[in-house]
Amino acid sequence: MKKAAGFTGHPPTVDRTVGRSLPAVVTPPVTTDAPTAMGAPAGDLSTRDRVTQLLLECRAATAAQLGDALGLSPAAVRRHLDAMLADGDVVAREQTVRGHRGRGRPAKVFLLTDAARSRCGTHHYDNMATAALRWIARTGGSRAVEEFAAEQVAALEARCQAALAGAGDDPMARAEALAAALTAEGYAASASTIASGGQLCQHHCPVAHVAAEFPQLCEAETTVISRLVGTHVQRLATIAHGDGVCTTHIPGPPPAQSGKTVTTVRTDR
């Protein structure tokens, strides 16, 4: 699924909110011994959550408007906004004022960045993707779901194929290069050599929630791994089915008849 579009073009007009109360925000109490992000005190984190919720609901607001809604002074709100600016959670722009403007510079308005919005869980991308696949399954059957899954991983395969251009023909060398390419795609992957061949591990799955109901996504990905590595592979575990890691086994050549067992292990760099 694509990320929500960012704020582009001209700065938004926000004078419509002037003179109006922003929606009230109800947040659960935060205990002083609760874990906090980046060492921020629990009270600060709670206020930031409330600021985030307000900006989600009204899209843009000044420090004064946020302060009125939260019962805080503009200076107190600006302290939190400054921290959010430093963390890349908000951006500041000049307020657009229609008609006669008083003396002085226009007030700054604050908007959430795409990254901050995506962490709020308000878009429910997983639920939307699952609903879309259910519709595809109802109207086109399992075959349509398989075709959709194959199309979704086609672009990933093309990008990884380019990354494997100089990896040679050895399956494990290609698996190691593939692990690096998948890590760049957000899969946190690693490749290792084991006695029976090798394995490719993915410690993160962007579609785990959806794949739990539609294993065709995992199957399409396994097919792509097989093509990229250049040999038959076997999925041993998946995050979608409750395992901690997606593990794909890469069978190695028959061991040499020397009576020795190969036990060397190579991990990702």
Side-chain angles (χ1 to χ4, degrees):
M1 304 292 291
K2 294 182 178 179
K3 292 183 178 180
F7 298 112
T8 58
H10 300 290
T13 301
V14 297
D15 52 300
R16 292 174 299 165
T17 62
V18 176
R20 296 173 54 190
S21 297
L22 294 176
V25 177
V26 179
T27 55
V30 179
T31 59
T32 56
D33 58 348
T36 58
M38 292 178 290
D44 287 352
L45 186 61
S46 176
T47 301
R48 286 182 60 163
D49 288 343
R50 295 163 68 197
V51 170
T52 298
Q53 184 63 36
L54 284 171
L55 292 177
L56 278 171
E57 294 179 8
C58 66
R59 190 182 180 218
T62 65
Q65 291 167 347
L66 292 169
D68 287 343
L70 296 173
L72 299 172
S73 67
V77 173
R78 286 194 190 95
R79 179 167 61 87
H80 298 286
L81 290 171
D82 287 343
M84 295 173 75
L85 280 166
D87 292 341
D89 290 338
V90 299
V91 293
R93 296 179 180 171
E94 285 192 357
Q95 183 180 23
T96 300
V97 179
R98 293 173 179 170
H100 177 72
R101 193 181 77 185
R103 300 177 63 181
R105 298 185 61 183
K108 292 284 187 181
V109 294
F110 298 88
L111 308 89
L112 291 177
T113 61
D114 288 343
R117 293 177 70 89
S118 67
R119 291 195 301 270
C120 293
T122 57
H123 299 291
H124 304 292
Y125 291 132
D126 285 350
N127 292 338
M128 184 180 295
T130 302
L133 281 169
R134 287 172 182 165
W135 184 88
I136 292 173
R138 287 197 307 269
T139 58
S142 60
R143 178 61 180 171
V145 176
E146 292 171 6
E147 292 175 354
F148 173 83
E151 183 174 320
Q152 290 302 297
V153 297
L156 174 66
E157 180 178 8
R159 292 193 298 273
C160 290
Q161 185 68 60
L164 268 64
D169 297 328
D170 176 61
M172 274 312 301
R174 294 184 65 81
E176 193 171 46
L178 177 57
L182 288 174
T183 295
E185 295 283 342
Y187 288 82
S190 63
S192 58
T193 300
I194 58 177
S196 59
Q199 63 183 18
L200 178 72
C201 294
Q202 295 157 253
H203 302 269
H204 174 66
C205 176
V207 296
H209 177 75
V210 184
E213 183 172 343
F214 294 96
Q216 294 94 328
L217 294 171
C218 294
E219 293 164 4
E221 187 179 273
T222 303
T223 299
V224 165
I225 292 174
S226 177
R227 284 200 295 261
L228 291 171
V229 172
T231 187
H232 168 72
V233 300
Q234 181 182 9
R235 266 279 165 85
L236 302 180
T238 62
I239 295 173
H241 290 158
D243 301 299
V245 179
C246 293
T247 305
T248 304
H249 181 243
I250 306 168
Q257 300 300 320
S258 62
K260 295 181 180 180
T261 303
V262 178
T263 58
T264 57
V265 175
R266 179 178 61 197
T267 58
D268 62 310
R269 291 191 292 264

